[in-house]
Amino acid sequence: MTETAHFVDGDKELDFTKVRATDGQFGYDVNGLLSTTGNIMLDPGFVNTASCESKITYIDGGQGILRYRGYPIEQLAEHASFLETAYLVLNGELPTAAELETFENGIRRKTLIDERMRDLFRCFPRRSHPMPVLSAGIMALSTFAHTPTSADLDTLDDAAVSLLAKVPTLAAYGYKNSMGQPTLYPDNSLSYIENFIRMSFGFPTEPYEFNDAITRGLEVLLILHADHEQNCSTSTVRMVASSGANLYSAISAGVNALSGPKHGGANQAVVEMLQFIRDSGMTTKEFVEKVKNRESGIKLMGFGHRVYRNYDPRAAIIKKHADKILELHTGRQDLLEIAKELEETALSDDYFKERKLYPNVDFYSGLIYEAMGFPINMFTVLFAIGRLPGWIAQYREQVSTSDKIWRPRQIFTGADERDWVPIDQRG
Ligand code: CMC
């Protein structure tokens, strides 16, 4: 039986159908609200609004649960590879051994980028931030891809494999460019993660030696970032997809949305915050007091989340890896100590308890990336490489389940109609 919720506004009445979820909150389908009442809903920041139905990722923010296609993040981080996770996120099921091999080989064959694309990197200033370079690189890729301007499901799979293959190459080239070092061609005898590590840290003149803890650590971090339902960048991807724009345009827009410090840029901001605490000689308690003083405008970066009102399960997994990886880079253990103390101070403070503010995925990830050897401005790029399968899956779900362009409304609160005034009569 269809369940409904009754809505009354004066003499106007309407039944909202309750859309059941597999788990978690159901949704009131407010379709018909405008045509029946002449009015719309106001929900700044979409705090109460589901923009779509989705089968990809489930989050229970109160319990700290995250599952891709039903599989708990803890199990995937423990047992899966990144490309196996990407296959799951994209296709809905874990691959068989044969399916995984075909998927991996398809990606391996496409890791090279056009030679003229390599020239593109020379146009960017030496110290340019690798995020805008990645975003521009993805749009440049689309000019070589002969992709139709509209979303075309037939070419989508090819574009998806191409992006999964080439984005790590682009990211490594952006990094090498920022360091003024020569770029390396991909080596397709290596795994996805190894290939990216070698293109980032290797030199054409000598063989690269891998460290297993770093390779697996990076793989786990990418798995943890593979999707996170309707966050800011993913909603941006779906918004662009809804216009019929191609996958490259949507993913490039997602990269731009991710760059903000309230979103993917937070991992960079956390390390800068920890460095500030260390260099200023402030205690963590003094810093927490500064955060609580609203006039300072300072937030505790890496804390708080729109959906999690509990420990972010990804942060818990990362924290377990932090000690192991930071052992490799003893110079950074001072920041890890500050981070742990800061976490303890905040978690025992009423301000954070009352608001249910816990560490999120970015609290420890930046420290690990740095211990692996990545400079601070690469952290968000690593987040983007991890999030790519999720963005592609969400794009595909968007274009295959709805042909409606996304077009939010507004409540207009500006000036009422008034007449134009000649310039000499104004003031
Ligand atoms: N430090 C201090 N106070 C905070 C923080 C924080 N990090 N986060 C939220 N608050 C306060 C906020 O000021 C508000 O207080 P009050 O009710 O007194 O006005 C209350 O907690 C609720 O916060 P909100 O801003 O309404 O929460 P939101 O859901 O709109 O924002 C957030 C979520 C992630 C943008 C925010 O918590 C934040 O800015 N955190 C720091 C940046 C960060 O770590 N971002 C990474 C998020 S996880 C990875 C990703 O999604 O990319």
Side-chain angles (χ1 to χ4, degrees):
M1 199 187 73
T2 313
E3 285 181 82
T4 56
H6 197 58
F7 176 82
V8 183
D9 180 10
D11 60 349
K12 300 198 175 101
E13 295 190 27
L14 183 63
D15 280 332
F16 293 147
T17 305
K18 289 185 190 175
V19 180
R20 284 272 154 210
T22 313
D23 211 340
Q25 296 123 341
F26 57 74
Y28 298 105
D29 181 350
V30 298
N31 196 11
L33 183 70
L34 176 61
S35 56
T36 307
T37 66
N39 294 317
I40 51 181
M41 310 217 326
L42 174 63
D43 183 18
F46 312 113
V47 177
N48 304 284
T49 299
S51 59
C52 59
E53 291 179 39
S54 179
K55 296 185 185 338
I56 303 169
T57 290
Y58 173 69
I59 300 175
D60 180 330
Q63 307 274 337
I65 292 172
L66 168 62
R67 298 182 203 132
Y68 302 154
R69 303 284 190 178
Y71 294 97
I73 191 64
E74 292 79 6
Q75 292 181 23
L76 293 168
E78 180 76 29
H79 304 294
S81 72
F82 175 64
L83 286 187
E84 190 181 355
T85 307
Y87 184 100
L88 169 72
V89 169
L90 286 165
N91 299 296
E93 298 297 335
L94 286 168
T96 61
E99 285 167 339
L100 183 59
E101 198 185 336
T102 307
F103 184 61
E104 287 176 343
N105 285 341
I107 289 172
R108 201 169 276 139
R109 274 199 296 273
K110 292 197 171 179
T111 50
L112 276 174
I113 57 174
D114 192 287
E115 284 300 300
R116 272 167 301 172
M117 281 280 298
R118 286 161 63 88
D119 293 341
L120 180 80
F121 287 92
R122 295 199 195 106
C123 305
F124 295 116
R126 211 13 82 74
R127 298 199 183 282
S128 42
H129 196 292
M131 274 302 263
V133 172
L134 179 64
S135 159
I138 290 171
M139 282 319 292
L141 265 187
S142 80
T143 67
F144 292 88
H146 312 297
T147 320
T149 48
S150 65
D152 174 355
L153 281 177
D154 291 340
T155 58
L156 191 53
D157 284 346
D158 280 348
V161 167
S162 215
L163 275 169
L164 283 166
K166 294 183 199 310
V167 161
T169 312
L170 285 181
Y173 284 10
Y175 170 58
K176 284 294 195 189
N177 179 65
S178 74
M179 303 292 285
Q181 293 175 2
T183 51
L184 277 82
Y185 285 111
D187 175 350
N188 292 342
S189 66
L190 299 174
S191 76
Y192 190 79
I193 308 289
E194 286 171 339
N195 211 352
F196 173 65
I197 290 177
R198 181 186 151 274
M199 284 191 291
S200 299
F201 298 126
F203 288 91
T205 43
E206 54 200 59
Y208 186 79
E209 285 196 20
F210 293 96
N211 175 304
D212 290 347
I214 291 184
T215 307
R216 183 60 195 164
L218 184 57
E219 179 139 54
V220 169
L221 280 160
L222 297 189
I223 291 170
L224 297 182
H225 286 91
D227 194 47
H228 213 235
E229 53 117 302
Q230 307 313 316
N231 55 80
C232 178
S233 56
T234 302
S235 298
T236 302
V237 167
R238 289 186 87 124
M239 169 75 85
V240 175
S242 80
S243 77
N246 71 24
L247 183 66
Y248 294 86
S249 309
I251 300 296
S252 177
V255 169
N256 294 333
L258 186 72
S259 67
K262 289 184 188 168
H263 193 10
N267 50 20
Q268 171 169 345
V270 169
V271 174
E272 286 164 351
M273 172 185 76
L274 297 173
Q275 286 169 340
F276 169 78
I277 296 173
R278 181 196 58 194
D279 299 343
S280 66
M282 215 178 241
T283 64
T284 55
K285 201 160 174 22
E286 284 165 348
F287 186 77
V288 163
E289 288 307 317
K290 216 172 155 66
V291 169
K292 284 158 58 182
N293 170 8
R294 309 298 289 269
E295 280 164 33
S296 74
I298 298 177
K299 282 203 165 166
L300 186 50
M301 300 313 285
F303 256 70
H305 198 275
R306 171 63 61 79
V307 182
Y308 293 119
R309 300 299 179 193
N310 201 326
Y311 214 100
D312 180 337
R314 301 167 300 172
I317 297 169
I318 293 180
K319 195 178 171 187
K320 278 198 253 161
H321 279 261
D323 281 314
K324 210 172 3 166
I325 306 241
L326 278 146
E327 270 171 22
L328 305 168
H329 195 331
T330 42
R332 282 298 168 203
Q333 270 171 337
D334 55 347
L335 293 187
L336 179 64
E337 290 315 313
I338 295 173
K340 285 182 174 171
E341 195 184 302
L342 190 58
E343 176 189 342
E344 215 179 293
T345 311
L347 289 180
S348 57
D349 191 291
D350 284 344
Y351 174 96
F352 293 88
K353 281 194 213 162
E354 280 158 16
R355 290 169 178 76
K356 296 192 167 64
L357 300 170
Y358 291 87
N360 61 49
V361 68
D362 289 321
F363 194 69
Y364 287 105
S365 63
L367 282 177
I368 300 188
Y369 291 142
E370 203 185 38
M372 289 173 173
F374 290 103
I376 285 185
N377 64 9
M378 270 298 279
F379 297 175
T380 319
V381 170
L382 299 168
F383 192 150
I385 296 174
R387 184 53 52 86
L388 191 56
W391 284 335
I392 298 171
Q394 301 271 354
Y395 178 98
R396 195 198 329 227
E397 191 176 66
Q398 179 64 31
V399 296
S400 55
T401 56
S402 166
D403 61 1
K404 245 194 180 353
I405 188 166
W406 282 17
R407 200 327 187 162
R409 299 277 179 149
Q410 63 169 12
I411 307 294
F412 177 70
T413 56
D416 206 351
E417 184 179 350
R418 46 190 173 161
D419 288 326
W420 182 83
V421 181
I423 199 161
D424 57 355
Q425 292 169 31
R426 293 175 210 162

